[in-house]
Amino acid sequence: MYESLFAHIRKFVPLSKEEEEILHSTLRYKKVRKKEFLLKEKEVCTANHFVLKGCFRMYFTQENGVEQIIQFAIENWWITDFQSLDWQQPSHYYIQAVETSEIAILDRRVTAEVCDLIPKLDRYFRLIVQRAFAASQQNLLFIYTFSGEERYHHFNEAFPEFVQRVPQYMVASYLGFTPEFVSKIKSRRTGDGKPPIS
Amino acid sequence: MYESLFAHIRKFVPLSKEEEEILHSTLRYKKVRKKEFLLKEKEVCTANHFVLKGCFRMYFTQENGVEQIIQFAIENWWITDFQSLDWQQPSHYYIQAVETSEIAILDRRVTAEVCDLIPKLDRYFRLIVQRAFAASQQNLLFIYTFSGEERYHHFNEAFPEFVQRVPQYMVASYLGFTPEFVSKIKSRRTGDGKPPIS
């Protein structure tokens, strides 16, 4: 059930059969319907989530109701709001399934315990959070450096399979296009499949 | 010499005297002159840096020469480019001392080794990288949500001591103000001390 997670962990640190069993007994498995939420604004986040299958988006809503996506997660990515998870504060974000998905849930209340039993998991999580942090900083660099058009082309080249499976207006939102432009893409989903570029 | 670092680590995980000694023998101490660089664009980052005293900024230069700050680090913060450090790729960033500073350097080539000897350090680094990642995501939220003026006031209220010690044009750059506005602040440093707000 969690084989893809164990394989992902083994890319970073060794993991014995016994440790797999400990981890297996700690995780919770969940099927998630399309558009179902793992977290909503003002809720306190209680877990980290590993995507076994499917796709999620993390976003916040601006005062004018516009949804701004700040992160996606597909297979082999973890997704959570660390600010809410670590400080047990109400979240600013929504985490929602873009497709029907399957996840492994690591609850906050058992995280320290399982990392005490398998200290290499701290190493694993350290390395993948470093990766996520670097991606977030690079996102800032892209926002400040490139125009909407340049970002769109870069994203298409870097993640062609991703662009195929996520609605274009979500990619546009993630790339920081103007809400007007995102709406424009959203409203012409029956078009030629290629969005006009801002 | 490293007492503030050991105190910081003990906020997250226990650390014995023996472990302090191991860590002490692993770290390198360095005084850094104002404006000296820890990392320059196109260099491969070789270490993580803990600020014992002073202040650093991490920035990249846009094609038009404008410097865009994406992170500051003052006492008790670590600063590095994880993308360059973990993948040994040339960096897109500069890390430069804003003041005369003192740092503890943890070299990449000894990091895994010292974390093997003191596994709790993986826990410590995991938790502080989660904090940095959350801050980076909140920075995105601020950029998308608030106007320059709102961000400036929020930043002043949240970090009053920080605003006192860093030149205003650097704060403006970090907050994503326009280059024109940053230049405007930069050119009127002899003014009333309060920048005009974009």
Side-chain angles (χ1 to χ4, degrees):
Chain A
M1 185 190 298
Y2 300 127
E3 195 38 55
S4 65
L5 172 54
F6 298 153
H8 191 252
I9 293 172
R10 279 193 298 266
K11 279 188 195 170
F12 296 87
V13 296
L15 191 70
S16 69
K17 276 284 157 200
E18 196 192 351
E19 289 168 335
E20 275 186 15
E21 280 162 27
I22 295 172
L23 193 53
H24 186 106
S25 68
T26 309
L27 296 166
R28 286 190 297 128
Y29 171 86
K30 189 173 171 12
K31 287 201 177 192
V32 188
R33 293 185 311 280
K34 185 176 172 174
K35 297 198 176 173
E36 191 178 334
F37 290 93
L38 302 183
L39 178 70
K40 285 184 181 175
E41 189 187 0
K42 294 181 187 162
E43 289 178 358
V44 174
C45 187
T46 60
N48 201 347
H49 316 86
F50 181 83
V51 184
L52 299 164
K53 191 170 174 299
C55 178
F56 290 84
R57 63 180 184 137
M58 183 164 162
Y59 68 92
F60 62 89
T61 52
Q62 298 180 347
E63 277 185 17
N64 56 8
V66 170
E67 295 172 359
Q68 175 61 52
I69 297 174
I70 62 160
Q71 199 191 324
F72 286 107
I74 55 173
E75 289 82 7
N76 293 335
W77 273 83
W78 289 86
I79 190 160
T80 190
D81 172 7
F82 280 117
Q83 183 146 22
S84 177
L85 187 70
D86 287 346
W87 282 270
Q88 291 291 283
Q89 293 172 354
S91 180
H92 299 293
Y93 306 103
Y94 296 83
I95 299 176
Q96 187 188 35
V98 175
E99 310 167 355
T100 301
S101 304
E102 296 170 41
I103 57 171
I105 301 174
L106 180 61
D107 285 310
R108 180 178 186 271
R109 56 178 178 76
V110 295
T111 303
E113 203 177 304
V114 72
C115 288
D116 284 341
L117 289 170
I118 314 168
K120 283 282 187 291
L121 282 184
D122 275 319
R123 171 84 49 99
Y124 165 69
F125 283 117
R126 168 167 77 79
L127 294 172
I128 60 160
V129 178
Q130 284 176 194
R131 176 190 282 210
F133 177 46
S136 172
Q137 290 198 315
Q138 195 170 45
N139 192 3
L140 270 180
L141 185 147
F142 284 162
I143 288 174
Y144 284 126
T145 305
F146 299 117
S147 70
E149 181 168 5
E150 287 168 332
R151 285 203 297 279
Y152 187 83
H153 289 308
H154 179 276
F155 197 80
N156 265 288
E157 278 170 30
F159 311 105
E161 289 170 27
F162 187 79
V163 172
Q164 289 300 316
R165 67 194 272 190
V166 172
Q168 287 177 335
Y169 75 89
M170 287 191 188
V171 174
S173 165
Y174 174 72
L175 294 174
F177 287 21
T178 61
E180 293 71 24
F181 181 66
V182 175
S183 305
K184 209 163 155 184
I185 298 180
K186 209 170 171 175
S187 67
R188 59 189 289 282
R189 280 191 243 174
T190 52
D192 61 3
K194 287 185 184 172
I197 302 299
S198 74
Chain B
M1 186 192 295
Y2 300 126
E3 195 38 55
S4 66
L5 171 55
F6 297 153
H8 190 252
I9 293 173
R10 279 192 298 266
K11 280 188 195 171
F12 296 86
V13 295
L15 191 71
S16 70
K17 275 286 158 201
E18 196 193 350
E19 289 168 334
E20 276 186 14
E21 280 162 27
I22 294 171
L23 192 52
H24 186 105
S25 68
T26 308
L27 296 165
R28 286 189 297 128
Y29 172 85
K30 188 173 172 14
K31 288 203 175 191
V32 188
R33 293 184 312 278
K34 185 174 172 175
K35 298 195 174 176
E36 191 177 334
F37 290 93
L38 302 183
L39 178 71
K40 285 184 182 177
E41 189 187 357
K42 296 180 186 167
E43 289 178 358
V44 174
C45 187
T46 60
N48 201 346
H49 316 86
F50 180 84
V51 184
L52 299 163
K53 188 168 177 297
C55 179
F56 290 83
R57 65 179 181 137
M58 184 164 160
Y59 68 92
F60 61 90
T61 53
Q62 298 180 345
E63 277 185 15
N64 57 9
V66 170
E67 295 172 359
Q68 176 60 52
I69 296 173
I70 61 159
Q71 199 191 325
F72 286 108
I74 55 173
E75 287 82 6
N76 292 335
W77 273 82
W78 288 86
I79 190 162
T80 190
D81 172 6
F82 279 118
Q83 182 146 24
S84 176
L85 187 69
D86 286 347
W87 281 269
Q88 291 291 282
Q89 293 172 353
S91 180
H92 298 294
Y93 305 103
Y94 296 82
I95 300 177
Q96 186 189 37
V98 175
E99 308 168 354
T100 301
S101 303
E102 295 170 39
I103 57 171
I105 301 174
L106 180 61
D107 285 309
R108 179 178 187 271
R109 59 179 176 73
V110 295
T111 303
E113 202 176 306
V114 72
C115 289
D116 285 340
L117 290 169
I118 314 169
K120 283 280 187 290
L121 283 184
D122 274 319
R123 171 84 49 100
Y124 165 70
F125 283 117
R126 167 166 77 81
L127 295 171
I128 60 159
V129 178
Q130 285 177 194
R131 175 188 283 209
F133 177 46
S136 172
Q137 290 199 314
Q138 195 169 46
N139 192 3
L140 270 180
L141 187 146
F142 284 162
I143 287 174
Y144 284 125
T145 306
F146 300 118
S147 70
E149 183 167 3
E150 287 167 333
R151 285 204 297 278
Y152 188 83
H153 288 308
H154 179 277
F155 197 81
N156 265 288
E157 277 169 31
F159 311 104
E161 290 172 24
F162 187 78
V163 172
Q164 289 301 314
R165 68 194 271 191
V166 171
Q168 288 177 334
Y169 76 89
M170 288 192 189
V171 173
S173 164
Y174 175 72
L175 294 173
F177 287 22
T178 61
E180 293 70 24
F181 182 65
V182 175
S183 303
K184 208 164 156 184
I185 298 179
K186 207 170 172 177
S187 67
R188 62 189 287 280
R189 280 191 242 176
T190 50
D192 62 4
K194 288 183 184 172
I197 303 297
S198 75

